[in-house]
Amino acid sequence: METATPKKVIFSAVQPSGTITLGNYLGAIKNWVTMQDDYRCIFALADLHTITVRQDPAAFRRHSLEAYALFLACGIDPKKNPFFLQSQVHTHAELAWILNCYTQFGELSRMTQFKDKSAKHADNINAGLFTYPSLMAADILLYQSDLVPVGADQKQHLELARNIAERFNGAYSPTFTVPEPYIPKVGAKIMSLQEPTRKMSKSDENANSYIAVLDKPDDILRKFKRAITDSEARVHFAPEKEGVNNLMGIYSSITGLTNEQIEVEFEGKGYGDFKVRVAEAVIEELRPVQERYSQLISDKEYLEQCYTEGAQQALSISIRTLNKVMKKIGFLPKKF
Ligand code: TYM
């Protein structure tokens, strides 16, 4: 008799910090959607990570609900796999504390995101910003995740999570699955439309530099028309053509075309035509997402029901890992 091999476990999360960008969508969410049937997927909104930067309470609540609805609109199915808010599953903060004690100061100091963010928020370099990667490691390790689909900017954090897992396993006995990063071949690093040497980021002050998933079609078109390219006026991929490469990458991750096929499509055409075509592709990709979003966001009760069920399922899975970890370390067992 054949026994079914258990599905591999995937964990990933996105911060609900206001705008969800085309970078988040192409680098992460779009891939999550395609993985839902083939893997055991566990997805979260990493709202505990978000408070490493000061938040206005009312806006934070609104952004969290909006981000939740937007993910459902993108195609995340909370009935298939748990999709929850990190702050509602207490095991995350608890394991994060424990893992802090298995993470070295030197390792955290080397994180480029910490260096960038502390330069940007020089007035609030809090300890949470510093220990953020141990919380991320806890998120992943609690679910014995095999794979973590992320954009290229999260690779360093993932390597640290692997090191922490290996260290803990070595100090006690095998406890955590050591996770592998799963970084898409195209779309792993969508760049700013205004400064194509920097990644597209929701925290960029210049709104022309990013596309938000909920941007109106006219705004999307305008932003692409203004995107920085170069003076060569020929659509082809070359290392020094960062702006054009980025537009080709966006077009490729939506249409599935290779760079060579894109070069053929735009042979003899200038950047004007190319930018309009990329904008149209993005608008068409996002249209159904935007339509579903406008229905979902008005159904608060449904959203609450989905994230509550997601948290309950996530708790029942993650508590097993937390209990195992606490026992191995030597905490007295709870008798209540
Ligand atoms: P966050 O919220 O900054 O980004 C969420 C996901 O989007 C990807 N991403 C991009 N991909 C391509 N191009 C871009 N310009 C771009 N910008 C962002 C990110 O790589 C990420 O996959 N710490 C994480 C959230 C997190 C997490 C986790 C992720 C918390 N716990 C556990 C994985 C596993 C973060 O702040 O991502």
Side-chain angles (χ1 to χ4, degrees):
M1 200 179 74
E2 246 182 79
T3 47
T5 24
K7 285 181 177 177
K8 287 201 169 189
V9 178
I10 284 204
F11 180 89
S12 201
V14 169
Q15 289 193 54
S17 32
T19 314
I20 302 287
T21 68
L22 188 64
N24 299 133
Y25 179 78
L26 296 178
I29 311 166
K30 193 171 154 71
N31 304 311
W32 297 7
V33 172
T34 61
M35 290 169 158
Q36 290 181 106
D37 291 318
D38 300 335
Y39 297 91
R40 171 71 171 144
C41 294
I42 299 168
F43 297 132
L45 290 182
D47 53 350
L48 292 173
H49 280 99
T50 306
I51 64 162
T52 52
V53 174
R54 200 68 71 233
Q55 302 292 319
D56 168 69
F60 184 33
R61 263 192 295 276
R62 200 182 64 244
H63 290 154
S64 299
L65 194 69
E66 287 172 354
Y68 195 90
L70 185 57
F71 277 68
L72 298 197
C74 289
I76 299 296
D77 182 351
K79 304 288 173 204
K80 262 188 208 153
N81 294 296
F83 174 43
F84 64 98
L85 289 144
Q86 183 192 34
S87 62
Q88 299 191 349
V89 182
H90 63 80
T91 45
H92 289 249
E94 287 175 45
L95 184 64
W97 170 257
I98 292 174
L99 296 185
N100 271 332
C101 304
Y102 294 82
T103 310
Q104 298 303 307
F105 182 88
E107 289 177 304
L108 292 171
S109 314
R110 283 194 288 278
M111 295 293 116
T112 51
Q113 188 171 315
F114 170 69
K115 293 185 210 162
D116 293 349
K117 285 206 174 169
S118 41
K120 203 161 166 199
H121 302 280
D123 56 337
N124 184 22
I125 307 177
N126 58 72
L129 199 59
F130 188 63
T131 60
Y132 171 123
S134 337
L135 174 58
M136 188 162 152
D139 298 340
I140 298 166
L141 301 181
L142 275 171
Y143 300 95
Q144 306 294 350
S145 313
D146 296 294
L147 290 174
V148 184
V150 281
D153 63 329
Q154 295 298 325
K155 193 163 178 258
Q156 198 186 25
H157 291 159
L158 217 48
E159 272 156 17
L160 181 58
R162 286 171 57 85
N163 290 343
I164 298 172
E166 278 165 357
R167 184 171 305 145
F168 194 95
N169 289 349
Y172 299 93
S173 56
T175 310
F176 296 123
T177 302
V178 180
E180 297 283 343
Y182 188 101
I183 297 175
K185 286 196 186 69
V186 237
K189 198 162 189 196
I190 304 295
M191 310 307 275
S192 155
L193 299 182
Q194 291 298 313
E195 270 180 85
T197 50
R198 290 174 38 184
K199 76 163 182 173
M200 181 180 283
S201 167
K202 50 196 156 200
S203 54
D204 204 311
E205 274 153 29
N206 181 354
N208 285 327
S209 71
Y210 61 79
I211 303 289
V213 173
L214 293 177
D215 270 349
K216 294 196 182 67
D218 287 352
D219 292 328
I220 297 177
L221 184 61
R222 179 178 46 80
K223 289 183 189 184
F224 274 110
K225 280 186 174 169
R226 286 191 189 170
I228 301 294
T229 45
D230 53 64
S231 54
E232 196 195 16
R234 189 160 79 88
V235 178
H236 79 114
F237 194 91
E240 68 288 358
K241 290 167 73 77
E242 289 105 352
V244 170
N245 296 349
N246 188 36
L247 297 181
M248 288 176 79
I250 293 172
Y251 194 56
S252 165
S253 30
I254 291 176
T255 59
L257 295 173
T258 62
N259 283 337
E260 293 71 31
Q261 288 169 322
I262 298 173
E263 286 170 6
V264 171
E265 181 178 343
F266 293 98
E267 215 174 299
K269 297 194 179 126
Y271 289 154
D273 288 341
F274 176 50
K275 287 176 174 179
V276 170
R277 185 66 203 105
V278 177
E280 282 169 357
V282 171
I283 292 167
E284 286 318 310
E285 172 83 9
L286 298 181
R287 191 188 305 281
V289 173
Q290 298 185 348
E291 283 168 7
R292 280 195 296 270
Y293 173 81
S294 62
Q295 291 161 3
L296 282 160
I297 195 62
S298 55
D299 196 348
K300 197 169 168 204
E301 213 174 298
Y302 175 70
L303 297 172
E304 281 172 357
Q305 184 209 332
C306 292
Y307 70 64
T308 304
E309 280 170 15
Q312 285 162 341
Q313 289 172 36
L315 179 62
S316 72
I317 304 168
S318 59
I319 196 87
R320 283 184 248 146
T321 304
L322 182 67
N323 287 341
K324 204 160 48 156
V325 167
M326 293 183 77
K327 190 170 169 198
K328 291 201 182 185
I329 294 174
F331 288 106
L332 276 177
K334 280 184 195 147
K335 292 294 175 195
F336 56 90

